[in-house]
Amino acid sequence: MSASHRGDLKDLRRLIARHRRWDLIFGVLGLLALMVGVLTFTALFVQMAVDGAPRLSWEFFSSFPSRRPGQAGILSALGGSGLVMLVTACTAVPLGVGAGVYLEEYARKNWVTDLIEINVTNLAGVPSIVYGLLALGLFVYGLGLGQSILTAGLTLGLLILPVVIVATRESIRAIPGAIREGSYALGATKWQTTAHHIVPYSMGGILTGIIIGMARAIGETAPIITIGALTFIAFLPPAPVQSDPPFVNFDWLTSPFTVMPIQMFNWTSRPEAAFQANAAAAGFVLVFMTLTMNALAIWLRYRLRKNIKW
């Protein structure tokens, strides 16, 4: 080997070693940034668990709010959160999935769809208080729905709608083009290809986006306060299902309500230490529910992708 070749080989080795050092430095910095976020969240979560552990009992989950901190519970907040999430899911899921499928599979690629895509992406980053102001003018005053569960569910549905649309589109884009080509080659129509192949194969990512969006919605406070959710409510809305015909009751849609973040806000605004413990216990329950929903999303994605045979 000539001297020039040996020199070139040494230069190449130095270049590779320098790049490896930069890769190591970047990896260490990324790990430190990750640990800062994880450790901060872990510390806050553990602190809430320690402060709220004495209040975590069956009475806490089955009691209504009270002016006496030792007797106060989260029953009305849990019920309200569940019903609001029901309206949110019934609103955002079909609209979001349908819009995502249409934009990705049916819409023509022109300036109109480009404009829609840009706006959908931007709406995913709009502050939640803006949705609260929109709902206050449109649902509360414009449509006369009042400060009800229906208004709250529609508001949070609008909030997570861009998230569901984006998640649906990204999941559909991940499907290999050979799936469509094989379906068309066998004589399937566009609808048959979409309904029997595209949507089922992308369902893992779609469900992940839906659950993550719902996990975000369940912890939102600003839009719920804006539309006038009650901070103290000592009763449950009417049940959606009843024993007498027609067995379905829609009176709960117009009922006053409160949700978990509002109940926490009410307790943290009081100076007594016992109410702060109640807020910590409610916060622990809310964070645990959010983590459970995210874990469910990960598990569903894993199971669905494992069962799909390309």
Side-chain angles (χ1 to χ4, degrees), residues 112-135:
V112 177
T113 55
D114 290 341
L115 183 63
I116 293 174
E117 291 175 4
I118 293 172
N119 281 279
V120 168
T121 304
N122 290 335
L123 285 173
V126 171
S128 58
I129 186 66
V130 176
Y131 288 95
L133 295 173
L134 171 64

Side-chain angles (χ1 to χ4, degrees), residues 49-307:
V50 172
D51 294 341
R55 293 292 294 125
L56 292 175
S57 62
W58 174 250
E59 288 74 18
F60 184 71
F61 289 94
S62 59
S63 300
F64 290 106
S66 173
R67 292 180 174 84
R68 296 171 178 163
Q71 300 176 1
I74 58 173
L75 178 59
S76 56
L78 275 178
S81 293
L83 293 177
V84 169
M85 287 300 101
L86 177 61
V87 177
T88 301
C90 293
T91 303
V93 173
L95 289 178
V97 174
V101 172
Y102 173 78
L103 288 173
E104 200 62 34
E105 294 295 320
Y106 288 89
R108 295 181 179 180
K109 304 303 178 182
N110 50 37
W111 68 271
V112 177
T113 55
D114 290 341
L115 183 63
I116 293 174
E117 291 175 4
I118 293 172
N119 281 279
V120 168
T121 304
N122 290 335
L123 285 173
V126 171
S128 58
I129 186 66
V130 176
Y131 288 95
L133 295 173
L134 171 64
L136 183 65
L138 178 61
F139 299 137
V140 177
Y141 297 125
L143 299 179
L145 299 180
Q147 301 163 340
S148 61
I149 291 176
L150 179 60
T151 300
L154 292 176
T155 303
L156 296 180
L158 289 177
L159 177 68
I160 69 171
L161 185 61
V163 177
V164 178
I165 293 175
V166 172
T168 301
R169 298 192 64 193
E170 293 299 327
S171 300
I172 292 176
R173 286 176 182 174
I175 304 301
I179 299 294
R180 298 176 179 84
E181 296 171 0
S183 179
Y184 293 146
L186 293 175
T189 63
K190 192 173 189 63
W191 166 248
Q192 290 173 329
T193 301
T194 302
H196 299 292
H197 299 283
I198 302 302
V199 173
Y201 290 159
S202 59
M203 189 56 67
I206 293 174
L207 286 176
T208 300
I210 291 171
I211 296 176
I212 291 176
M214 295 290 291
R216 176 192 175 186
I218 199 173
E220 285 291 345
T221 307
I224 303 300
I225 291 178
T226 305
I227 63 175
L230 300 177
T231 58
F232 186 89
I233 181 171
F235 59 88
L236 287 175
V241 181
Q242 57 187 11
S243 58
D244 300 327
F247 304 109
V248 179
N249 181 22
F250 293 102
D251 293 339
W252 60 276
L253 290 172
T254 59
S255 175
F257 71 100
T258 190
V259 291
M260 291 289 292
I262 301 296
Q263 187 63 69
M264 291 175 57
F265 172 77
N266 182 24
W267 283 335
T268 54
S269 63
R270 302 192 178 193
E272 293 91 345
F275 279 116
Q276 303 300 319
N278 287 348
F284 175 81
V285 173
L286 184 60
V287 174
F288 181 79
M289 292 168 61
T290 303
L291 292 177
T292 302
M293 295 175 71
N294 283 276
L296 177 62
I298 296 173
W299 181 79
L300 285 174
R301 181 174 58 187
Y302 170 76
R303 293 295 301 176
L304 290 173
R305 289 182 177 178
K306 184 179 179 181
N307 293 333

Side-chain angles (χ1 to χ4, degrees), residues 31-45:
L31 179 61
L32 290 176
L34 175 64
M35 293 308 296
V36 168
V38 171
L39 291 177
T40 302
F41 169 78
T42 303
L44 293 174
F45 187 67

